[in-house]
Amino acid sequence: MIKVAFYDAKPYDIPSFEKYGKERNIEFKFYESKLNEDTVSLAKGYDGVCVFVNDNVNEKVIKELYSLGIKFVVLRCAGFNNVDVKAAFGKIHVYRVPAYSPYAVAEHAVSMLLTMNRRIHKAYIRTREYNFSLSGLTGVDLHGKTVGVIGTGKIGQIFANICKGFGMRVLAYDKFPNPKLDYEYVSLDELFANSDFISLHCPLTDESFHMINDESMSKMKKGVGIINTSRGGLIDASALLNQIKSRKVGFACLDVYEEESNIFFQDKSGHILDDDVFRNLLSMPNVLVTSHQAFLTEEALNNIADTTTQNILNYYAQESNENELCYHCSNIENCKRQRKQKCF
Ligand code: NAI
């Protein structure tokens, strides 16, 4: 039986990991605590650790894990900015789940757009209080409107196709346009100038950091609706707040926020939020925030557990695995993975 210490366990993670663990002879010990220098000793006696986005797998933690005999770190997410892969190289193998359900994220983006446009979030609260007035709940027909999709990868394509189904015009921008797609690819400036709604589906990189800022928002239509289910850092949150206050931006739907790591996935009710920008955004009637829940469907959770447990089995089978984070080259993202073996 392979034994894995599972950090930052949430009630929604446990059933799928128990199911796949049982089928694949992997026993998980579920800890609510996040992995960090204080909690690393909980991994004693285990073969590997399973972590999520807010576990801190820094150099010190890796050193300690290695001295405890931990052989692998399996991330149950795609992003790996919280793992010092360089420090792990030669000591501990690191794996991730690159994709779990693009439908989940795209459908969440659409549901945020629909909710905000038709003020469903307001209507829900009103009718519960027997307020059946319609004042202030007017939306627009999506049919015939133009949506700008930034990033036409797995999620962006599904989002764009759903919007086409509504009878919307889709304008697309991608750093690497896909010639196989019959989208109307335009420059970013054209997309900003002509879109009624803009949805972000590109990764966060040095280049895309704060791509939605004062300058880009000044090029947009007055009343534009912005949807971000990608990464918080794509939007300069202070600039967004100002553009909402100035009525330039009609609404914002945010499933991600650039300073989310100490806020999201936790019950903070009863606490005072120190982040003034976030607090102000939350107080706006035309800002809808969900706490990084776009991925959260049964299918995605099953895919995450399936791939993570498969990554563990691959480790023992000595097989090469595309999901292993490699430090052979200086740029992990561009690693071509031509080797037919494990990272080290
Ligand atoms: P993907 O890799 O299939 O597509 C990304 C697309 O963005 C590619 O076509 C790429 O060429 C394009 N791109 C790269 N740099 C760009 C730039 N600077 N400007 C414009 N386009 C650029 O990725 P996928 O699976 O569609 O995911 C998109 C994003 O969704 C991820 O990067 C991730 O941040 C986010 N995500 C959010 C989740 C959530 O729960 N909110 C869950 C999973 C992913």
Side-chain angles (χ1 to χ4, degrees):
M1 184 71 96
I2 304 163
K3 293 175 75 185
V4 178
F6 189 107
Y7 284 89
D8 200 12
K10 298 280 189 287
Y12 51 79
D13 289 320
I14 296 175
S16 52
F17 274 89
E18 276 183 336
K19 172 176 168 269
Y20 281 94
K22 214 170 164 187
E23 284 172 14
R24 294 174 176 170
N25 236 3
I26 303 166
E27 189 189 316
F28 290 102
K29 170 74 180 172
F30 296 101
Y31 292 119
E32 279 182 28
S33 325
K34 291 186 186 43
L35 175 58
N36 55 42
E37 288 156 34
D38 298 329
T39 59
V40 62
S41 58
L42 294 170
K44 191 175 174 189
Y46 292 90
D47 301 302
V49 297
C50 180
V51 300
F52 197 48
V53 290
N54 291 322
D55 293 293
N56 187 358
V57 197
N58 61 24
E59 189 177 357
K60 243 178 149 177
V61 168
I62 288 192
K63 243 179 156 175
E64 187 60 27
L65 288 172
Y66 186 57
S67 73
L68 292 173
I70 291 295
K71 302 175 196 76
F72 56 84
V73 171
V74 281
L75 285 145
R76 50 185 193 278
C77 54
F80 51 89
N81 50 301
N82 53 329
V83 181
D84 189 336
V85 185
K86 189 176 177 187
F89 180 66
K91 296 191 179 80
I92 295 177
H93 292 262
V94 184
Y95 301 87
R96 68 170 179 151
V97 182
Y100 16 97
S101 172
Y103 299 100
V105 183
E107 289 169 12
H108 191 78
V110 174
S111 68
M112 292 187 97
L113 167 61
L114 293 172
T115 301
M116 194 47 115
N117 176 42
R118 301 305 296 271
R119 319 287 195 264
I120 305 295
H121 57 305
K122 299 258 159 219
Y124 173 77
I125 290 166
R126 274 192 199 180
T127 54
R128 288 174 74 85
E129 292 174 352
Y130 301 163
N131 175 355
F132 302 108
S133 153
L134 296 183
S135 303
L137 300 186
T138 311
V140 296
D141 285 5
L142 293 182
H143 181 92
K145 296 293 178 303
T146 299
V147 62
V149 179
I150 300 183
T152 54
K154 295 180 284 296
I155 297 170
Q157 284 174 43
I158 296 166
F159 177 86
N161 293 342
I162 295 173
C163 291
K164 281 187 171 187
F166 287 155
M168 301 177 82
R169 177 186 179 206
V170 173
L171 295 180
Y173 171 79
D174 197 296
K175 195 178 167 199
F176 308 100
N178 183 343
K180 290 188 192 137
L181 302 171
D182 67 338
Y183 294 155
E184 206 178 322
Y185 278 109
V186 293
S187 70
L188 258 187
D189 279 358
E190 280 174 272
L191 184 146
F192 290 148
N194 294 297
S195 300
D196 300 297
F197 311 103
I198 294 174
S199 194
L200 306 177
H201 300 289
C202 62
L204 177 62
T205 60
D206 288 347
E207 192 181 348
S208 63
F209 177 73
H210 282 186
M211 73 185 325
I212 305 300
N213 52 30
D214 272 321
E215 195 194 337
S216 54
M217 283 184 278
S218 72
K219 296 173 182 166
M220 294 177 191
K221 281 187 173 183
K222 185 170 163 53
V224 62
I226 298 174
I227 305 130
N228 188 9
T229 54
S230 203
R231 282 293 178 265
L234 295 174
I235 298 183
D236 177 344
S238 304
L240 177 66
L241 179 63
N242 289 335
Q243 299 287 347
I244 285 172
K245 281 189 192 159
S246 74
R247 277 61 168 177
K248 172 81 181 188
V249 169
F251 67 75
C253 302
L254 309 174
D255 184 54
V256 284
Y257 172 62
E258 60 180 324
E259 303 297 335
E260 72 181 50
S261 64
N262 288 324
I263 304 173
F264 284 3
F265 307 121
Q266 298 166 59
D267 182 356
K268 291 273 183 186
S269 49
H271 290 244
I272 290 168
L273 278 186
D274 291 325
D275 184 332
D276 288 344
V277 172
F278 190 51
R279 233 188 16 244
N280 277 329
L281 282 169
L282 282 171
S283 73
M284 294 289 170
N286 52 352
V287 174
L288 178 62
V289 174
T290 51
S291 38
H292 210 135
Q293 84 175 68
F295 75 98
L296 195 62
T297 63
E298 285 178 17
E299 289 79 0
L301 291 173
N302 269 314
N303 290 340
I304 290 169
D306 184 10
T307 307
T308 305
T309 48
Q310 196 56 57
N311 284 343
I312 295 170
L313 296 187
N314 280 154
Y315 166 80
Y316 283 99
Q318 300 292 325
E319 285 168 3
S320 70
N321 182 344
E322 281 210 330
N323 300 337
E324 178 168 15
L325 298 175
C326 157
Y327 205 80
H328 263 287
C329 52
S330 55
N331 185 339
I332 299 168
E333 286 287 18
N334 291 334
C335 174
K336 295 287 182 247
R337 298 177 195 290
Q338 280 149 354
R339 291 163 300 104
K340 294 270 177 277
Q341 60 198 48
K342 280 159 89 172
C343 185
F344 58 88

